[in-house]
PDB file of all heavy atoms in Angstrom:
ATOM      1  N   GLY A 823      -8.344   2.618 -19.809  1.00 76.00           N
ATOM      2  CA  GLY A 823      -7.623   1.380 -19.544  1.00 76.00           C
ATOM      3  C   GLY A 823      -6.175   1.723 -19.213  1.00 76.00           C
ATOM      4  O   GLY A 823      -5.786   2.883 -19.041  1.00 76.00           O
ATOM      5  N   VAL A 824      -5.364   0.645 -18.972  1.00 84.00           N
ATOM      6  CA  VAL A 824      -3.980   0.790 -18.625  1.00 84.00           C
ATOM      7  C   VAL A 824      -3.190   0.149 -19.730  1.00 84.00           C
ATOM      8  O   VAL A 824      -3.368  -1.025 -19.910  1.00 84.00           O
ATOM      9  CB  VAL A 824      -3.660   0.202 -17.202  1.00 84.00           C
ATOM     10  CG1 VAL A 824      -2.195   0.493 -16.946  1.00 84.00           C
ATOM     11  CG2 VAL A 824      -4.530   0.820 -16.102  1.00 84.00           C
ATOM     12  N   PRO A 825      -2.260   0.849 -20.375  1.00 86.00           N
ATOM     13  CA  PRO A 825      -1.376   0.139 -21.420  1.00 86.00           C
ATOM     14  C   PRO A 825      -0.348  -0.842 -20.640  1.00 86.00           C
ATOM     15  O   PRO A 825      -0.232  -0.705 -19.441  1.00 86.00           O
ATOM     16  CB  PRO A 825      -0.667   1.280 -22.086  1.00 86.00           C
ATOM     17  CG  PRO A 825      -0.678   2.396 -21.033  1.00 86.00           C
ATOM     18  CD  PRO A 825      -1.964   2.233 -20.176  1.00 86.00           C
ATOM     19  N   PRO A 826       0.234  -1.580 -21.446  1.00 84.00           N
ATOM     20  CA  PRO A 826       1.167  -2.643 -20.910  1.00 84.00           C
ATOM     21  C   PRO A 826       2.387  -1.893 -20.190  1.00 84.00           C
ATOM     22  O   PRO A 826       2.692  -2.351 -19.183  1.00 84.00           O
ATOM     23  CB  PRO A 826       1.710  -3.350 -22.136  1.00 84.00           C
ATOM     24  CG  PRO A 826       0.640  -3.265 -23.091  1.00 84.00           C
ATOM     25  CD  PRO A 826       0.046  -1.885 -22.854  1.00 84.00           C
ATOM     26  N   VAL A 827       2.831  -0.876 -20.855  1.00 91.00           N
ATOM     27  CA  VAL A 827       3.817  -0.071 -20.182  1.00 91.00           C
ATOM     28  C   VAL A 827       3.566   1.374 -20.149  1.00 91.00           C
ATOM     29  O   VAL A 827       3.110   1.885 -21.149  1.00 91.00           O
ATOM     30  CB  VAL A 827       5.277  -0.239 -20.910  1.00 91.00           C
ATOM     31  CG1 VAL A 827       6.342   0.563 -20.304  1.00 91.00           C
ATOM     32  CG2 VAL A 827       5.682  -1.674 -20.988  1.00 91.00           C
ATOM     33  N   VAL A 828       3.704   1.943 -18.903  1.00 92.00           N
ATOM     34  CA  VAL A 828       3.366   3.410 -18.769  1.00 92.00           C
ATOM     35  C   VAL A 828       4.723   4.049 -18.718  1.00 92.00           C
ATOM     36  O   VAL A 828       5.531   3.941 -17.598  1.00 92.00           O
ATOM     37  CB  VAL A 828       2.523   3.703 -17.414  1.00 92.00           C
ATOM     38  CG1 VAL A 828       2.354   5.094 -17.337  1.00 92.00           C
ATOM     39  CG2 VAL A 828       1.248   2.912 -17.471  1.00 92.00           C
ATOM     40  N   TRP A 829       5.059   4.769 -19.707  1.00 91.00           N
ATOM     41  CA  TRP A 829       6.429   5.573 -19.668  1.00 91.00           C
ATOM     42  C   TRP A 829       6.399   6.865 -19.024  1.00 91.00           C
ATOM     43  O   TRP A 829       5.665   7.760 -19.242  1.00 91.00           O
ATOM     44  CB  TRP A 829       6.882   5.606 -21.316  1.00 91.00           C
ATOM     45  CG  TRP A 829       7.207   4.403 -21.801  1.00 91.00           C
ATOM     46  CD1 TRP A 829       6.451   3.631 -22.665  1.00 91.00           C
ATOM     47  CD2 TRP A 829       8.453   3.520 -21.624  1.00 91.00           C
ATOM     48  NE1 TRP A 829       7.076   2.456 -23.074  1.00 91.00           N
ATOM     49  CE2 TRP A 829       8.336   2.454 -22.442  1.00 91.00           C
ATOM     50  CE3 TRP A 829       9.695   3.843 -20.959  1.00 91.00           C
ATOM     51  CZ2 TRP A 829       9.457   1.450 -22.565  1.00 91.00           C
ATOM     52  CZ3 TRP A 829      10.648   2.980 -21.153  1.00 91.00           C
ATOM     53  CH2 TRP A 829      10.510   1.723 -21.937  1.00 91.00           C
ATOM     54  N   ASP A 830       7.264   6.988 -18.067  1.00 89.00           N
ATOM     55  CA  ASP A 830       7.558   8.316 -17.488  1.00 89.00           C
ATOM     56  C   ASP A 830       8.693   9.031 -18.081  1.00 89.00           C
ATOM     57  O   ASP A 830       8.693  10.295 -18.194  1.00 89.00           O
ATOM     58  CB  ASP A 830       7.865   7.949 -15.923  1.00 89.00           C
ATOM     59  CG  ASP A 830       8.078   9.365 -15.168  1.00 89.00           C
ATOM     60  OD1 ASP A 830       7.323  10.358 -15.367  1.00 89.00           O
ATOM     61  OD2 ASP A 830       9.017   9.268 -14.411  1.00 89.00           O
ATOM     62  N   ALA A 831       9.716   8.289 -18.565  1.00 86.00           N
ATOM     63  CA  ALA A 831      10.959   8.871 -19.270  1.00 86.00           C
ATOM     64  C   ALA A 831      11.521   7.784 -20.101  1.00 86.00           C
ATOM     65  O   ALA A 831      11.512   6.659 -19.644  1.00 86.00           O
ATOM     66  CB  ALA A 831      11.875   9.540 -18.285  1.00 86.00           C
ATOM     67  N   ARG A 832      12.063   8.025 -21.224  1.00 89.00           N
ATOM     68  CA  ARG A 832      12.640   6.959 -21.976  1.00 89.00           C
ATOM     69  C   ARG A 832      14.095   7.076 -22.127  1.00 89.00           C
ATOM     70  O   ARG A 832      14.793   6.374 -21.426  1.00 89.00           O
ATOM     71  CB  ARG A 832      12.065   7.027 -23.407  1.00 89.00           C
ATOM     72  CG  ARG A 832      10.593   6.979 -23.341  1.00 89.00           C
ATOM     73  CD  ARG A 832       9.970   6.410 -24.648  1.00 89.00           C
ATOM     74  NE  ARG A 832       8.378   6.358 -24.632  1.00 89.00           N
ATOM     75  CZ  ARG A 832       7.651   5.540 -25.233  1.00 89.00           C
ATOM     76  NH1 ARG A 832       8.226   4.699 -25.963  1.00 89.00           N
ATOM     77  NH2 ARG A 832       6.351   5.662 -25.111  1.00 89.00           N
ATOM     78  N   GLY A 833      14.691   8.004 -22.951  1.00 87.00           N
ATOM     79  CA  GLY A 833      16.182   7.885 -23.176  1.00 87.00           C
ATOM     80  C   GLY A 833      16.555   6.906 -24.257  1.00 87.00           C
ATOM     81  O   GLY A 833      15.604   6.341 -24.910  1.00 87.00           O
ATOM     82  N   ASP A 834      17.783   6.627 -24.510  1.00 90.00           N
ATOM     83  CA  ASP A 834      18.351   5.840 -25.589  1.00 90.00           C
ATOM     84  C   ASP A 834      18.604   4.519 -25.107  1.00 90.00           C
ATOM     85  O   ASP A 834      18.384   4.227 -23.859  1.00 90.00           O
ATOM     86  CB  ASP A 834      19.526   6.375 -26.267  1.00 90.00           C
ATOM     87  CG  ASP A 834      20.640   6.726 -25.339  1.00 90.00           C
ATOM     88  OD1 ASP A 834      20.831   5.933 -24.384  1.00 90.00           O
ATOM     89  OD2 ASP A 834      21.434   7.639 -25.581  1.00 90.00           O
ATOM     90  N   ALA A 835      19.061   3.525 -25.950  1.00 91.00           N
ATOM     91  CA  ALA A 835      19.276   2.243 -25.549  1.00 91.00           C
ATOM     92  C   ALA A 835      20.339   2.054 -24.409  1.00 91.00           C
ATOM     93  O   ALA A 835      20.294   1.082 -23.695  1.00 91.00           O
ATOM     94  CB  ALA A 835      19.794   1.399 -26.733  1.00 91.00           C
ATOM     95  N   ASP A 836      21.217   2.964 -24.354  1.00 91.00           N
ATOM     96  CA  ASP A 836      22.386   2.816 -23.256  1.00 91.00           C
ATOM     97  C   ASP A 836      21.820   3.489 -21.964  1.00 91.00           C
ATOM     98  O   ASP A 836      22.600   3.278 -21.014  1.00 91.00           O
ATOM     99  CB  ASP A 836      23.510   3.537 -23.816  1.00 91.00           C
ATOM    100  CG  ASP A 836      24.209   2.657 -24.920  1.00 91.00           C
ATOM    101  OD1 ASP A 836      24.097   1.583 -24.981  1.00 91.00           O
ATOM    102  OD2 ASP A 836      24.744   3.480 -25.860  1.00 91.00           O
ATOM    103  N   THR A 837      20.819   4.075 -21.947  1.00 94.00           N
ATOM    104  CA  THR A 837      20.225   4.674 -20.668  1.00 94.00           C
ATOM    105  C   THR A 837      19.694   3.556 -19.759  1.00 94.00           C
ATOM    106  O   THR A 837      18.744   2.774 -20.077  1.00 94.00           O
ATOM    107  CB  THR A 837      19.144   5.805 -20.899  1.00 94.00           C
ATOM    108  OG1 THR A 837      19.589   6.731 -21.868  1.00 94.00           O
ATOM    109  CG2 THR A 837      18.647   6.341 -19.552  1.00 94.00           C
ATOM    110  N   PRO A 838      20.216   3.428 -18.523  1.00 95.00           N
ATOM    111  CA  PRO A 838      19.507   2.468 -17.635  1.00 95.00           C
ATOM    112  C   PRO A 838      18.116   2.727 -17.416  1.00 95.00           C
ATOM    113  O   PRO A 838      17.670   3.998 -17.339  1.00 95.00           O
ATOM    114  CB  PRO A 838      20.339   2.711 -16.282  1.00 95.00           C
ATOM    115  CG  PRO A 838      21.627   3.256 -16.735  1.00 95.00           C
ATOM    116  CD  PRO A 838      21.316   4.140 -17.966  1.00 95.00           C
TER     117      PRO A 838
END
Side-chain angles (χ1 to χ4, degrees):
V824 180
V827 180
V828 180
W829 288 98
D830 177 48
R832 301 202 187 210
D834 59 30
D836 293 323
T837 304

